[in-house]
Amino acid sequence: MNDTSDPYERLPYAGEAYAQTHPNRIGTIAALFGMRPAHVPCCRVLELGCGFGGNLIPMAEQWPSARFVGLDLSERAVAHGRAIVRAVGLRNIELRHGDILDVRPGAGEFDYIIAHGVYSWVPDPVRRKVWAICREGLAPHGVAFVSFNALPGGHRRRIMRELMQYHTRAISDPVEKVRQARAICAHLAGCAGGGLYGEVLREELERIEARDAPLYHDDLSPENRAFLLQDVVEAAEAAGLQYLGEATLAHSNVGILPPFAAGTLAQIPEEAFALREQYLDFLFGRNFHQSLWCRSEIALNRSIETATVARLHVAENEASNVPGGHGGPKARDRRRTDGRSRAPESATDTDRLLEAALAQVCACAPQAVPFASVLRGVLERLRQSNVKLAAPERAEPSLAAALLGAYRANRIELWLDAPAIAPCVTERPRASRIARYQAWAKTRVTNLRHANVNLDEAQRQCLLLADGSRDVHDIAASLAAAGKDRGAKALLEELARLALLAA
């Protein structure tokens, strides 16, 4: 079956926000390792392979004084993104149609460069060009985000990829290719018995069942390579860049390993940080990296100082994806917010401070709170519950160390800057323009924490009305006329908890 139409038109990639690519999170890692990253309100961001801007446009809408540039090879995607930019009324973002290979030196200096979903799906010359753009375009303390398929976990995915490619080798129509690829995988996964091979087939089948576009553009792409981290490090070093770390610090947390394994890795010196990460890949069987890079001349400090943590903002972690981590609504329900500590009598100051801090951050969710405010709230909670610290003069560094440990364990988030999120329903509730634009066509929108949120129909209708021009009574009347019986106040409170209302 043949089809000469643009595959991106037949199966458009559903571009969306990727939380870990946000400068707020990237800058946090850079600051923790001793860099001086640009703060988000005034930063300059370049995204390579931006699609229609699903990741970049929400950032631009939220931070109007920052500057954003996106580049993509698909003319259709860029045209679509430009239409959204015009509709939302943004003036701080430019989406460009072009080839990464055509980017010339002097194209501009950026504080953050994002290449998400590019490196593993392009030929070697383009990969080398990505590093060249990062080296030439990064500001002195700029940070690049480069994701790629990783080994050894990539070997498992390769099994299914080769099967699908072989079975669909004579099919050119994207939709039919996806259908047949999924069908052969389902057939073989059902026929395979026990053992490792059957387990791999069934796991991979579950992974590819969700959406068609990623299956076609990622798994069935002619170019799709997985790399050892060390090989990527060497390629970056050849361009004058060094490995900063992962976009999620918890992915580098050796504390979740058995003591003998953690002890072995701890013997690797700090200056061989990438080597430690490579062995973690082998231990965990990682199949994907979201890696950060900076100029090779930057002197990094791998021993994170508590004073750095004290300059950041603290937020509840809404979703945990690391073994041993905690977060999300269920975790929120388990924590006390009444000021009383659950720590036992034998607890240390660190235990008491962290317990109170988790309650404080939970009570402020979805906002990010300056460390100084968290400290004040913690001390007040402990005072109200008559909890005495053994060393009250060490409360600030002790709390900073406790929060750093919680961040490493993925229990909280640390941010460079605090987005303007309403903690509750205001007199005239206002959702972001991009979220309301997204809500016209679908129920999945980007919130003010740069995360993707699924709404039900009542929430979607309420979000569309929350444009800042209506008070709660006006919104209630409109919802009642539309037959929404949950109540405006309840729906608006749900939107506030989902970080969809701006301060």
Side-chain angles (χ1 to χ4, degrees):
M1 181 180 296
N2 294 314
D3 189 338
T4 58
S5 63
D6 182 358
Y8 279 94
E9 187 171 344
R10 296 293 314 281
L11 280 176
Y13 214 113
E16 57 185 16
Y18 300 102
Q20 292 309 124
T21 69
H22 198 286
N24 213 357
R25 299 170 187 257
I26 298 172
T28 296
I29 301 294
L32 290 173
F33 286 141
M35 294 180 63
R36 300 190 302 276
H39 283 269
V40 184
C42 56
C43 72
R44 300 157 298 176
V45 181
L46 168 66
E47 183 172 18
L48 303 175
C50 67
F52 69 81
N55 186 45
L56 212 57
I57 292 174
M59 298 183 197
E61 199 274 337
Q62 190 173 13
W63 305 94
S65 295
R67 173 175 169 253
F68 300 86
V69 176
L71 177 71
D72 199 88
L73 187 60
S74 170
E75 187 173 8
R76 178 178 178 273
V78 170
H80 177 46
R82 287 172 177 169
I84 297 174
V85 168
R86 289 193 298 271
V88 179
L90 302 180
R91 299 183 180 276
N92 62 334
I93 180 172
E94 178 185 359
L95 300 180
R96 301 172 181 172
H97 168 239
D99 193 318
I100 288 175
L101 288 173
D102 293 334
V103 176
R104 296 289 178 256
E109 185 177 83
F110 298 92
D111 302 298
Y112 301 96
I113 296 178
I114 302 166
H116 186 38
V118 174
Y119 196 83
S120 283
W121 293 271
V122 293
D124 285 333
V126 183
R127 279 190 272 271
R128 289 192 293 270
K129 185 64 176 182
V130 167
W131 294 128
I133 292 171
C134 292
R135 175 63 198 187
E136 295 161 2
L138 279 178
H141 279 259
V143 185
F145 176 107
V146 179
S147 64
F148 57 92
N149 288 332
L151 297 173
H155 289 302
R156 295 170 68 97
R157 291 192 172 181
R158 184 176 175 181
I159 294 172
M160 191 71 91
R161 168 176 159 78
E162 291 179 347
L163 163 63
M164 292 187 294
Q165 284 191 314
Y166 178 79
H167 183 68
T168 63
R169 64 194 184 280
I171 303 173
S172 59
D173 174 61
V175 175
E176 180 64 14
K177 198 176 188 76
V178 165
R179 191 184 74 81
Q180 289 289 346
R182 195 172 278 133
I184 190 62
C185 290
H187 177 72
L188 291 186
C191 295
L196 179 60
Y197 184 65
E199 178 185 339
V200 169
L201 291 178
R202 285 184 284 272
E203 285 183 0
E204 287 299 293
L205 175 63
E206 182 178 353
R207 181 182 63 82
I208 66 172
E209 279 183 327
R211 294 181 291 177
D212 290 351
L215 171 56
Y216 180 79
H217 297 296
D218 296 348
D219 292 87
L220 294 174
S221 170
E223 185 74 41
N224 183 329
R225 288 183 58 189
F227 301 88
L228 286 173
L229 172 62
Q230 188 58 43
D231 292 335
V232 180
V233 168
E234 291 174 0
E237 288 177 345
L241 300 165
Q242 64 176 316
Y243 179 56
L244 176 62
E246 291 301 297
T248 301
L249 191 63
H251 290 167
S252 304
N253 183 15
V254 299
I256 65 175
L257 296 172
F260 72 90
T264 300
L265 288 180
Q267 296 176 34
I268 300 176
E270 292 293 345
E271 57 268 23
F273 183 79
L275 180 62
R276 182 186 302 175
E277 288 293 308
Q278 180 63 82
Y279 279 106
L280 282 174
D281 283 3
F282 287 126
L283 280 167
F284 295 137
R286 284 178 181 161
N287 56 40
F288 196 67
H289 264 286
Q290 298 182 89
S291 57
L292 305 181
W293 309 82
C294 64
R295 291 177 171 273
S296 57
E297 60 267 26
I298 295 290
L300 299 174
N301 179 11
R302 299 293 183 182
S303 300
I304 300 174
E305 299 176 0
T306 55
T308 303
V309 177
R311 294 193 293 269
L312 299 173
H313 296 75
V314 189
E316 182 186 40
N317 187 2
E318 294 180 326
S320 174
N321 57 5
V322 173
H326 302 278
K330 292 183 179 179
R332 181 184 304 160
D333 294 342
R334 291 195 299 266
R335 299 177 193 150
R336 302 186 69 101
T337 59
D338 58 6
R340 302 189 187 95
S341 174
R342 297 181 302 179
E345 292 297 323
S346 60
T348 64
D349 279 3
T350 299
D351 295 330
R352 296 188 176 96
L353 288 166
L354 180 58
E355 179 68 28
L358 292 176
Q360 175 73 8
V361 172
C362 176
C364 296
Q367 287 185 310
V369 187
F371 174 86
S373 297
V374 176
L375 178 61
R376 287 194 298 271
V378 163
L379 294 177
E380 178 61 21
R381 285 173 180 273
L382 295 178
R383 185 191 67 78
Q384 291 181 1
S385 55
N386 296 316
V387 174
K388 305 296 183 182
L389 297 175
E393 73 282 0
R394 295 282 303 163
E396 180 173 332
S398 295
L399 176 60
L403 289 174
L404 177 59
Y407 179 61
R408 287 185 183 276
N410 216 34
R411 299 182 69 185
I412 61 165
E413 293 183 4
L414 295 176
W415 292 351
L416 195 62
D417 296 289
I421 302 173
C424 57
V425 179
T426 57
E427 182 179 352
R428 292 183 179 274
R430 178 177 62 87
S432 73
R433 289 173 291 173
I434 186 61
R436 285 186 282 114
Y437 180 91
Q438 292 168 332
W440 278 113
K442 57 184 181 179
T443 57
R444 186 171 173 86
V445 302
T446 304
N447 72 5
L448 295 171
R449 293 170 60 119
H450 205 61
N452 304 299
V453 177
N454 291 312
L455 305 178
D456 62 29
E457 182 57 25
Q459 291 171 331
R460 187 181 78 89
Q461 292 293 335
C462 187
L463 180 70
L464 290 170
L465 294 167
D467 60 2
S469 69
R470 302 174 176 87
D471 61 21
V472 177
H473 297 294
D474 293 333
I475 294 175
S478 297
L479 288 173
K484 307 303 177 186
D485 57 2
R486 259 200 347 253
K489 189 66 183 296
L491 286 168
L492 287 166
E493 287 174 349
E494 292 168 11
L495 296 181
R497 286 194 295 272
L498 291 170
L500 283 166
L501 300 183

